[in-house]
């Protein structure tokens, strides 16, 4: 049942409708004042409806997160409705009723359309400004319209990927094709990329045959290695949701290892797309910590460096200021020996055993991709975190208007 | 032995030479390429030489921190030599030898000048770029010169306060006069204001009679309530040092409570001066968390909010985006109930029981002083953290050149 890696193809022009058994749509429902697309639907035609999800670890959770966590306890989903233009977070019991009413409306519209569906089979995701109630007349009208716009072809997935954008400048989607089965996905998010779960909304689809437990295993493993290690500004959204739906339409059952690998590859690619389009980004930065006594220590140290404003502003200025990296790693609550730490920028050693290397101040960091590697030299464990620089544009995007 | 609070006067035009028994000086020794003042000396004429200090909790400690921690084990100091223009951090054994040689040179120069002094009685503080060795010929020539520039009058303290500036735009000093004794202080630092110990270099002086243990108690208590709760960018320097020297020249022994109170007031005022001059500041922000189950929880939550880039950019844009405050507090590893959290901006309620208040988006945050108060409504404990907004100027100061 195992295929060779060379039999796979990763295509960025495709998304959630690349696997068989899925339709999707994206429309402008009038939720956004701009008139841009703001409502998306992903529909699983079956024959299977297995699903899994991972959610924000923020204690302040938006109504759609609370709803979707509940419906996913069944391990089954027929549809996901997503809106941009409002997070429906910090909106109290009224906001939760709005989410519930949205799921009911999707179920009714799909039933009218010909597929008997219950609200408990409908996940809801929202993104946008925290604290405002959604314009429910527009949401409910949009739900009635969108079921008639669903396409199984690639345009359906593309429309959906556009409709979930907020401050994103480009849609993010990708599909990984195996000979007999496919995994597709779309994601949005460029701001609240997070410590515990990055971003964002992400819907993954596959036509593989897989039990909910198998999907859950693959999704948690992949999220921990990808979205969880994308840290743009240390902020963690109230709405972060990643869902994985399996239609079984390929009638092919991959091994757990192959499923794990495919979901990881799709998440990793979406993660790279999110990093490249993060708010205000001028440089894509990967911070790798190696030689740690544990992977946890390596990850903690990489995260502290990736979040450090002084490191991030230095990278923006193309300044090889390795002392700020040392100062950051010294704040991490991990085991380390300051006299054994080495640092390199894009492969050039700038600090060895805690002391600067001659010429370190002349290392060229003008390229858009910056690799910061810190070797603690006290163990064998390593971990990497993706981040970006801290630029004028980041400040502008986050200060000039409410988002 | 207790004086009434009304008998005290707080004067910002005075610093480390306000108490009797201290001389100070600041000169341009050529360490900074700009030719600005870069070497300061604070000298305790006695009759007592009791001293205490608190230091950065960064595991990567600069050579002068390692040296000064050692010499302070005696509880005695005659002098503090401070340089700007170079942190002498991450400079290896050679850097430590430079610190040692500086202390030896100060001791020799003071002995020549007429006061027999040993290197072990001399604290050393450095600030500036991490990773470069100091130009020791200039440092040692400067040390020989500076002992002849010492003044007991206010100009001595003022010169010293100027000579320790780096990206500071103004010197920071203050003196608190009681009828019979005085506490004075100077500080520098506007960038690496920190999680565990803010900034920076700070020297406090008093002419009170006090044992090292009494000074240590007063200093630790004050630092925990002031510098420790000033968090500009979450970064913690390799060089943070706060020293307190007592000359006993007033021949007055205050109670521990009075000493504690005086040191706290001086530290609190210096802290406010550091906040007001922080890198890129356009708004001074105080984040207060109340109604927590413990002071630790309140402090943790206040710190998470104060460090959140999305909160800080919203404040820069005068945007009353209370949803970002909720999202930030929801990330804090503390006990909370999201449905009981209330938030106010400058006294105006914007969120009650986790839900927005009508009109919250119209609250005016254009003033330079912003108060963010979060009530968790589950306990009686509270804590406050001072911070600033995140502005274009912060990015510029930290990206345009190495610092």
């Amino acid at each position: 049942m195992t295929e060779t890696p060379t039999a796979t193809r990763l295509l960025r022009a495709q998304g959630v409708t690349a696997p068989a058994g899925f339709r999707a749509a994206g429309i402008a429902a009038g939720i956004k004042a701009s008139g841009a697309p703001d409502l998306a639907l992903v529909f699983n035609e079956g024959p299977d409806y297995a699903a899994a999800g991972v959610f924000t670890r923020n204690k302040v959770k938006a109504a759609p997160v609370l709803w979707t966590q509940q419906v996913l306890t069944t391990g089954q989903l027929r549809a996901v409705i997503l809106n941009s233009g409002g997070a429906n977070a910090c909106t109290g019991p009224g906001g939760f009723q709005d989410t519930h009413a949205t799921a009911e409306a999707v179920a009714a519209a799909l039933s009218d359309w010909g597929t008997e569906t219950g609200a408990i089979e409908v996940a809801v995701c929202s993104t946008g400004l925290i604290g405002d109630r959604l314009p429910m007349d527009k949401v409910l009208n949009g739900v009635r319209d969108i079921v008639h716009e669903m396409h199984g072809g690639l345009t359906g997935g593309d429309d959906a990927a556009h409709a979930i954008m907020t401050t994103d400048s480009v849609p993010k989607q990708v599909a990984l094709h195996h000979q007999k089965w496919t995994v597709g996905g779309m994601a949005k998010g460029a701001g609240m990329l997070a410590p515990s779960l990055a971003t964002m909304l992400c819907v993954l689809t596959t036509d593989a045959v897989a039990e909910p437990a198998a999907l859950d295993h693959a999704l948690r493993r992949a999220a921990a290695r990808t979205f969880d290690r994308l840290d743009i500004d240390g902020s963690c959204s109230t709405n972060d949701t990643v869902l994985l739906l399996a239609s079984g339409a390929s009638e092919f059952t991959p091994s757990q290892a192959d499923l794990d690998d495919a979901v990881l590859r799709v998440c990793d690619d979406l993660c790279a797309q999110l990093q490249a389009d993060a708010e205000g980004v001028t440089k894509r930065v990967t911070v790798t910590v190696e030689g740690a006594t544990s992977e946890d220590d390596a990850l903690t140290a990489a995260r502290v460096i990736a979040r450090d404003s002084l490191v991030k502003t230095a990278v923006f200025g193309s300044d090889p200021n390795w002392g700020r990296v040392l100062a950051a790693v010294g704040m991490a609550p991990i085991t380390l020996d300051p006299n054994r730490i080495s640092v390199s920028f894009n492969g050039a050693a700038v600090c060895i055993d805690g002391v600067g290397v001659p010429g370190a101040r002349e290392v060229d960091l003008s390229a858009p991709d910056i690799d910061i590697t810190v070797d603690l030299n006290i163990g064998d464990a390593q971990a990497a975190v993706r981040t970006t620089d801290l630029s004028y544009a980041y400040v502008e995007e986050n200060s000039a208007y409410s988002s």
Side-chain angles (χ1 to χ4, degrees), chain A:
Chain A
M1 306 266 283
T2 300
E3 299 175 309
T4 58
T6 53
T8 63
R9 283 192 310 155
L10 196 71
L11 298 175
R12 280 200 177 167
Q14 307 183 352
V16 291
T17 49
F22 289 93
R23 290 169 184 254
I27 65 169
I31 305 166
K32 285 179 178 168
S34 67
D38 50 20
L39 192 67
L41 180 65
V42 178
F43 175 60
N44 181 353
E45 298 187 290
D48 298 341
Y49 307 102
V54 292
F55 301 91
T56 181
R57 292 192 203 122
N58 199 308
K59 295 188 187 76
V60 177
K61 290 177 170 61
V65 170
L66 296 172
W67 169 263
T68 302
Q69 284 183 314
Q70 280 300 312
V71 303
L72 257 182
T73 56
T74 65
Q76 306 282 322
L77 282 181
R78 287 236 185 199
V80 184
I81 185 88
L82 313 92
N83 75 274
S84 52
N88 195 11
C90 303
T91 46
F96 189 81
Q97 288 162 17
D98 291 343
T99 293
H100 186 189
T102 304
E104 291 279 7
V106 171
L110 287 171
S111 299
D112 288 347
W113 184 76
T115 301
E116 200 60 41
T117 306
I120 198 170
E121 297 172 294
V122 180
V124 182
C125 301
S126 299
T127 177
L129 187 62
I130 295 170
D132 291 334
R133 295 282 292 274
L134 292 170
M136 284 306 292
D137 52 337
K138 289 168 179 163
V139 172
L140 297 178
N141 282 335
V143 165
R144 277 186 287 273
D145 293 341
I146 199 169
V147 295
H148 301 292
E149 304 295 329
M150 293 193 298
H151 290 286
L154 295 180
T155 55
D158 198 50
D159 289 348
H162 277 87
I164 59 174
M165 289 165 60
T166 54
T167 56
D168 306 68
S169 66
V170 291
K172 287 93 180 173
Q173 50 178 346
V174 72
L176 179 69
H177 293 270
H178 295 70
Q179 279 183 328
K180 296 179 179 168
W181 60 293
T182 297
V183 178
M186 66 177 184
K188 66 77 46 179
M192 297 184 102
L193 304 185
S196 36
L197 180 66
T199 328
M200 45 134 219
L201 305 182
C202 174
V203 179
L204 305 169
T205 54
T206 181
D207 48 19
V209 177
E211 293 295 311
L215 299 176
D216 188 71
H217 181 275
L219 187 59
R220 284 183 194 285
R221 177 177 174 277
R225 283 165 176 70
T226 56
F227 301 122
D228 232 13
R229 296 186 182 186
L230 174 63
D231 196 322
I232 300 305
D233 53 19
S235 298
C236 177
S237 157
T238 51
N239 290 57
D240 296 334
T241 301
V242 182
L243 301 173
L244 171 57
L245 284 67
S247 69
S250 71
E251 300 182 1
F252 182 85
T253 308
S255 69
Q256 183 73 50
D258 284 353
L259 183 66
D260 287 353
D261 180 64
V263 173
L264 177 63
R265 286 176 66 188
V266 169
C267 288
D268 189 60
D269 190 83
L270 288 172
C271 216
Q273 293 184 50
L274 290 166
Q275 179 192 30
D277 193 34
E279 284 176 356
V281 59
T282 78
K283 310 251 194 191
R284 298 176 292 271
V285 183
T286 302
V287 179
T288 304
V289 172
E290 52 192 36
T293 53
S294 70
E295 186 178 346
D296 277 355
D297 267 15
L299 183 57
T300 297
R303 217 185 268 293
V304 169
I305 297 165
R307 280 188 197 167
D308 189 79
S309 294
L310 293 169
V311 171
K312 291 159 79 87
T313 47
V315 172
F316 172 57
S318 300
D319 174 10
N321 197 329
W322 58 269
R324 292 183 180 177
V325 175
L326 265 279
V329 76
M331 292 190 286
I334 62 161
T335 305
L336 63 78
D337 176 348
N339 298 316
R340 298 185 71 173
I341 302 172
S342 295
V343 179
S344 65
F345 289 150
N346 285 353
V350 288
C351 169
I352 294 176
D353 293 340
V355 181
V357 171
R361 305 248 178 254
E362 280 73 53
V363 171
D364 180 9
L365 295 187
S366 60
D369 287 286
I370 303 296
D371 177 82
I372 300 175
T373 298
V374 175
D375 191 342
L376 299 177
N377 279 309
I378 53 170
D380 297 320
Q382 74 97 35
V385 168
R386 286 167 162 138
T387 188
T388 57
D389 55 344
L390 174 53
S391 67
Y392 297 122
Y394 177 89
V395 175
E396 182 180 10
E397 282 210 41
N398 287 296
S399 63
Y401 51 87
S402 275
S403 62

